[in-house]
Amino acid sequence: HRLLDLGVVSGAYVGVGVDQGPDTAVAILSVLKAGAAYVPVSTADPVDRVAYQLRDTGAKVLLTQCRHLERLGSLCPHTLAVAEVAQSVDLAIAQNPEIPADPDRTAYVLYTSGSSGRPKGVAVSHRSLAYYVHWHRDHLFVESGHLDLPLSSSVCFAAGVTQLYTPLVVGRTLHILSRETVKNPADLFDWYRDHP
C-alpha cells in the first residue's frame, strides 16, 4: 500500500537493496503485490553499479534498510527502509491491492556481472517465473524429497530465485540464511545437519 501511495503502478520497477534476511522476502513480495517488477541490487556492490541498475530500469523507488540509507538513499527519488515502513503500516488495511494479473508482465530484472563491459539487465516475466518455479517444485521437492531448501544464494542471481519461491509455492517454511552463515562452512554444515 505504501508503494501504491508513492505512485508505483503496474509495470513499474522498484529497486530492492536489502541484506539477506526477512526483509528480503517482505520487500520482494510487496513489490510484486503492488504489480511492479523488482530489481534486486546487492548492498555489497559499488554504489556506481547500483546507481546504474536503478537508472537503467527507471526505478523511482528503492526499498532498503536503515543501515544502508546513507549510502544508497540518494539513488532514487524515494528510498524507504523496510522496517520503518512496516512500523508505520495501518493494520486496519487488511485487503490486498486489486492489481490485475498479467503473466507477460515483468516480474524481476537480474543483471549480469558486467565482466565484458556494462552489466545487462535480463527481464523475466511472471509466466517464465511460474514455469521455472513449478519445474523446481516438481523436481527438487517432489522427486528428491528435499523439503527444506534454504535461501543461501543472493536474490541477485537465478539460484536465489529458486531458493526464494520454491518453498513458498509448496507451503514450506522459507529459511533465509544470513551472509555470515553462508560464508562460514561450519555454520552452513550445522544448518544442513539440522535440516535433513
Side-chain angles (χ1 to χ4, degrees), residues 62-101:
L62 172 64
L63 295 176
T64 190
Q65 293 156 311
C66 293
R67 61 184 162 273
H68 300 299
L69 284 175
E70 185 175 335
R71 184 169 171 262
L72 304 176
S74 64
L75 300 182
C76 277
H78 302 285
T79 302
L80 307 173
V82 175
E84 289 180 352
V85 174
Q87 290 173 354
S88 67
V89 167
D90 180 0
L91 295 178
I93 301 174
Q95 63 194 62
N96 286 316
E98 293 187 24
I99 309 292

Side-chain angles (χ1 to χ4, degrees), residues 48-191:
D48 289 348
R49 177 183 166 92
V50 175
Y52 170 75
Q53 291 171 296
L54 297 173
R55 192 172 52 250
D56 190 48
T57 57
K60 302 288 188 244
V61 179
L62 172 64
L63 295 176
T64 190
Q65 293 156 311
C66 293
R67 61 184 162 273
H68 300 299
L69 284 175
E70 185 175 335
R71 184 169 171 262
L72 304 176
S74 64
L75 300 182
C76 277
H78 302 285
T79 302
L80 307 173
V82 175
E84 289 180 352
V85 174
Q87 290 173 354
S88 67
V89 167
D90 180 0
L91 295 178
I93 301 174
Q95 63 194 62
N96 286 316
E98 293 187 24
I99 309 292
D102 180 354
D104 295 317
R105 188 172 56 226
T106 300
Y108 62 92
V109 178
L110 295 185
Y111 275 80
T112 62
S113 64
S115 58
S116 61
R118 283 206 175 271
K120 293 176 180 58
V122 178
V124 178
S125 70
H126 285 271
R127 182 187 313 275
S128 295
L129 174 60
Y131 285 141
Y132 180 79
V133 171
H134 283 94
W135 185 92
H136 280 88
R137 175 202 63 194
D138 295 343
H139 292 84
L140 288 178
F141 280 76
V142 177
E143 289 180 8
S144 72
H146 290 291
L147 298 179
D148 284 317
L149 178 68
L151 176 55
S152 58
S153 181
S154 167
V155 293
C156 296
F157 302 105
V161 173
T162 306
Q163 296 169 355
L164 172 68
Y165 293 105
T166 309
L168 297 177
V169 300
V170 296
R172 297 293 298 182
T173 299
L174 174 60
H175 300 275
I176 303 175
L177 304 186
S178 69
R179 186 175 290 155
E180 292 75 27
T181 298
V182 172
K183 286 183 176 181
N184 185 326
D187 289 347
L188 198 55
F189 176 80
D190 288 344
W191 190 91

Side-chain angles (χ1 to χ4, degrees), residues 18-43:
V18 297
D19 295 331
Q20 206 88 317
D23 287 348
T24 306
V26 170
I28 287 174
L29 295 176
S30 296
V31 171
L32 293 175
K33 287 181 80 164
Y38 67 94
V39 182
V41 295
S42 173
T43 56

